[in-house]
Amino acid sequence: MSELVTGDAVVLRLRVAAVPTRCLAFLLDVLLQAAVLFGLLLVAGLALATTLDEALFLTVSLVLVVLTLVGYPVAMESLSGGRTLGKMALGLRVVRDDGGPIRFRHALTRGLAGFFVDFWALGLAGAVALVVAFLSGRGKRVGDYLAGTVVISERTPAAITPVIVMPPGLEHWAAHLDLAHLPDDAALQARQYLGRWSEFSEDARSQLGFQISREIADAIGTPVPPGMPYWTYLSAVLAERRRRDHAQAWAQQPPGPTPPPPGPPPGAQPFAPPS
C-alpha cells in the first residue's frame, strides 16, 4: 500500500503494483510488440524488394522499430487511461503521483524514457528499470520518476468484498427515507467509499464521507442526523435501498412463499468500521 496526496490535500491509500507483476505485464507487451514489428518489417521488405536499396530498408526498419517500441505504449496509455494490453491482463494502471489519471504528456515521457533509458537504447534489456524499481519504495522506474507517475494494482481479492448492512437500531428511521430521487451514481459512489474504507487515511475518510453524504442528503431531502457518523448514514441509506429493491423484485414475481430477506453474496464479509 502507498499513500498518494491528491490536489485537494486528501491522502489516498492505493495498492502499488509489485515489480514481478509489472515485469510480467511488460513481457506480454513485448511479445505483442514483437509480433506487430515482425509484420511491419515483412510488409516493408516486400514493398522495398524491387528497389534493392539496403540503406533505405535499414532506415525504414529503424523508424518502424522506434514507432513500435515508443508509439505502442504511448498510444495505449493515452487512449486507455494508463493501461497497455499487458497491464489490462494483470489489472494494472498508470496514474499520477496524486492518484489522478495520466495525460498524453505523461505517457510520452514514460515512453521516451522507457526506450532511451529503461529498456532498449542502452542495450541492457531492462536492467536499469529493474534496478531502479527495486530500489524505489513504490516500484517506480526512471520513466515514472520523470513523468511523475506510479503503477497501481486495481484488483482486490473477492474474499474481502464488503456487504452493506443496516446499522442496528436504524431500521425504523431508514424505512421513512424518500429514496425515489437517489441517483444511481451517488449510490455507487457511496458503496465504493464504504468498500474502500480501510484503504483511506483518516482525513480522506472524513472529507470523502462528508462530500458523499451531503450529495445524498441533498438528493433524498434528509440530512445527516447530528452526531451520526458518515459511514452509518451511508450504510443505512444503501441497506434500505437494497431492501426495497429486493422487496420490489419479489412483488413482481408470481404468488408464492414469503421471500427471504436479502443476504450477502457468497464469500463476502459485512462492512463494519469501528465506531
Side-chain angles (χ1 to χ4, degrees), residues 15-60:
R15 188 183 303 275
V16 175
V19 175
T21 306
R22 293 187 61 180
C23 291
L24 183 56
F26 175 73
L27 179 59
L28 294 177
D29 287 327
V30 168
L31 294 177
L32 177 61
Q33 288 173 296
V36 172
L37 183 59
F38 176 79
L40 293 177
L41 292 178
L42 182 61
V43 172
L46 294 176
L48 299 177
T50 58
T51 64
L52 298 179
D53 191 339
E54 182 178 356
L56 178 60
F57 176 74
L58 292 177
T59 301
V60 173

Side-chain angles (χ1 to χ4, degrees), residues 71-154:
Y72 164 77
V74 172
M76 286 297 301
E77 291 180 359
S78 299
L79 297 176
S80 64
R83 298 184 297 173
T84 60
L85 293 179
K87 291 184 176 66
M88 291 181 187
L90 296 178
L92 307 182
R93 182 186 295 271
V94 182
V95 298
R96 302 196 307 262
D97 282 337
D98 61 359
I102 65 171
R103 301 186 182 276
F104 173 76
R105 60 184 179 88
H106 302 98
L108 180 61
T109 302
R110 297 183 79 256
L112 293 176
F115 180 81
F116 289 104
V117 181
D118 285 318
F119 303 114
W120 307 115
L122 297 181
L124 299 178
V128 174
L130 193 61
V131 171
V132 174
F134 272 115
L135 294 178
S136 170
R138 295 182 177 178
K140 302 176 66 167
R141 61 178 175 88
V142 176
D144 290 315
Y145 280 108
L146 295 178
T149 58
V150 62
V151 180
I152 63 172
S153 176
E154 296 183 307

Side-chain angles (χ1 to χ4, degrees), residues 206-247:
S206 178
Q207 295 187 33
L208 292 176
F210 171 76
Q211 296 172 4
I212 299 173
S213 299
R214 182 176 59 180
E215 180 179 354
I216 290 181
D218 292 340
I220 67 176
T222 302
V224 181
M228 178 181 292
Y230 297 128
W231 68 264
T232 303
Y233 176 81
L234 297 176
S235 297
V237 171
L238 295 181
E240 177 63 18
R241 186 175 191 258
R242 180 167 174 262
R243 185 194 67 79
R244 296 182 187 181
D245 291 342
H246 180 82

